[in-house]
Amino acid sequence: MPRWFLALLVCLLPAAGRADVTCAEMQAALHVPPPVGAVSEDPEGPLGCSRQALEMFALNTVAEAEAAPVTDLSQLHGAWLGDLVLPYLLGITVPGQEVLSFAPGDDPDTVRVTQYWMRALTLPHSPLWSDEGQYVGVAAEATLERDGDGRFKVADFGESLRYGTLRFEDPRSYDLMVKAQLNHFELPFSLGRSADVLVLDGALRDPTTRDPRAYKRTYTRIAPEAAELALATVLSFELSQARYMDCLAHQITEGHGPLFDALGEGGLPSLERFVRRTIGDGIRRDRLARDLRAAKDKARRDALKAEMKETMDAFVVRIKDPAYRDFVTRFAQGTDGLCPDYF
């Protein structure tokens, strides 16, 4: 998203009604630094932030100015959560966030990247979760190598760039727009780092003219499992992705915060077991229901009905378990205090 458009956007938007949360509290929850040479607070501004502070929710310009080129590929290894949250915080788009996961490549001086679009919504026609409660919303996968001037590009040998086939959003027009914004790897790009912030400087081709348009994105390092676990928590407890996803991912990465107070002694393992089972069971029930509606053969229908009954019986036993009920009650009671209510 062009910076001039964001600047225009935040200037035109009126102040949004929200709870009594300061811009500084939002910055802390979402790991967004204050702007250099400007104040963050503006009670009359959208979300209570100044224009300069709001722009930091789209691009970390502090890290952009300080970033040094990545020369050691091991500096990339791990997971990075996209900093572009402003459009959905302002209600312009539905919540969704990019994650880049880097791992060593098969050949020297290469790195493997998997790009995810994190979306809590499970679309009936293209589920973003597996029967095991694993997130499968892959946007693209590629092996990257550096060219002569230090920029990164898709490696010329072996497996080429692969795009995911899942549909992330409804309607299809919005799905295509999101995927166009994620198209980082078609042209060479540079990667820089400033501490735990990654800066991508690349170009997107115009869909009509094919002319490249320069753009930048920033990402904050998170624990490898943090984004998926945060998203699964949002989905399992029917929480607001805009309010909780990014905030919980940073708490999981740091290992402390209101989330851990709500979990108690069970910690993250108890949460992970719960959310994976909850999502996996839901996916299986939805799949069985779809298969049952589509089945014409009586024997096939009878087999599906038996499997559905077995699944539902197991679900009833599970939700009646005192330990299950205690966990759900305790966690649900603490959800309102997990992250600031900035809406």
Side-chain angles (χ1 to χ4, degrees), residues 6-335:
L6 290 169
L8 177 63
L9 182 67
V10 299
C11 284
L12 293 178
L13 280 172
R18 61 182 180 84
D20 188 18
V21 175
T22 67
C23 191
E25 288 172 326
M26 287 183 58
Q27 290 167 334
L30 302 178
H31 277 223
V32 174
V36 175
V39 299
S40 295
E41 307 295 336
D42 180 1
E44 302 302 319
L47 302 174
C49 298
S50 67
R51 179 182 64 82
Q52 296 88 343
L54 281 174
E55 289 177 350
M56 294 289 290
F57 289 91
L59 182 74
N60 186 335
T61 55
V62 174
E64 176 196 9
E66 298 174 348
V70 170
T71 55
D72 181 352
L73 296 186
S74 66
Q75 295 178 322
L76 297 173
H77 298 166
W80 304 82
L81 178 63
D83 293 332
L84 180 57
V85 298
L86 181 61
Y88 70 70
L89 288 179
L90 293 176
I92 306 303
T93 66
V94 297
Q97 218 161 338
E98 180 186 5
V99 167
L100 297 179
S101 178
F102 290 93
D106 293 333
D107 297 285
D109 207 30
T110 66
V111 64
R112 184 73 180 165
V113 61
T114 303
Q115 180 190 44
Y116 298 89
W117 182 245
M118 308 304 291
R119 190 75 168 91
L121 176 66
T122 300
L123 300 174
H125 50 281
S126 59
L128 300 179
W129 300 85
S130 72
D131 285 4
E132 291 73 39
Q134 302 280 346
Y135 190 70
V136 294
V138 173
E141 297 176 276
T143 296
L144 304 176
E145 63 180 4
R146 283 177 293 191
D147 59 20
D149 61 4
R151 294 186 303 171
F152 289 81
K153 65 177 182 178
V154 176
D156 291 331
F157 53 86
E159 187 178 288
S160 62
L161 173 63
R162 295 195 308 168
Y163 293 105
T165 59
L166 293 177
R167 187 159 152 188
F168 300 135
E169 307 285 355
D170 263 347
R172 183 173 181 268
S173 57
Y174 185 64
D175 181 67
L176 293 174
M177 185 193 78
V178 167
K179 288 175 179 174
Q181 292 180 354
L182 298 175
N183 195 24
H184 304 322
F185 310 120
E186 190 173 89
L187 297 172
F189 57 92
S190 64
L191 291 172
R193 264 196 59 186
S194 173
D196 284 333
V197 178
L198 180 70
V199 180
L200 185 151
D201 188 345
L204 295 173
R205 290 192 185 277
D206 183 278
T208 302
T209 66
R210 305 296 294 155
D211 293 332
R213 172 177 55 80
Y215 73 105
K216 293 183 180 182
R217 297 283 172 84
T218 57
Y219 307 80
T220 300
R221 183 184 288 280
I222 56 172
E225 75 283 0
E228 182 179 359
L229 184 52
L231 192 68
T233 302
V234 165
L235 184 61
S236 297
F237 288 92
E238 299 182 353
L239 304 175
S240 162
Q241 182 173 345
R243 177 180 174 185
Y244 289 95
M245 160 69 191
D246 191 294
C247 167
L248 291 181
H250 291 304
Q251 290 185 49
I252 292 168
T253 298
E254 294 171 343
H256 62 84
L259 171 64
F260 289 83
D261 296 336
L263 290 174
E265 293 182 359
L268 288 182
S270 65
L271 179 63
E272 182 167 10
R273 287 192 299 271
F274 175 84
V275 298
R276 292 205 186 282
R277 181 76 180 270
T278 298
I279 294 173
D281 286 352
I283 293 294
R284 283 191 292 275
R285 289 195 300 271
D286 287 348
R287 175 175 50 77
L288 285 170
R290 290 197 304 271
D291 291 348
L292 186 57
R293 287 194 297 270
K296 304 300 181 183
D297 179 73
K298 183 179 183 303
R300 172 63 174 162
R301 288 182 60 83
D302 289 344
L304 288 170
K305 287 179 180 178
E307 187 176 354
M308 176 66 85
K309 182 179 183 306
E310 181 180 339
T311 300
M312 292 303 299
D313 289 345
F315 174 70
V316 170
V317 170
R318 180 180 172 226
I319 63 176
K320 288 184 176 181
D321 179 46
Y324 173 95
R325 295 167 68 90
D326 177 67
F327 175 85
V328 172
T329 301
R330 185 179 68 254
F331 190 82
Q333 288 175 344
T335 54

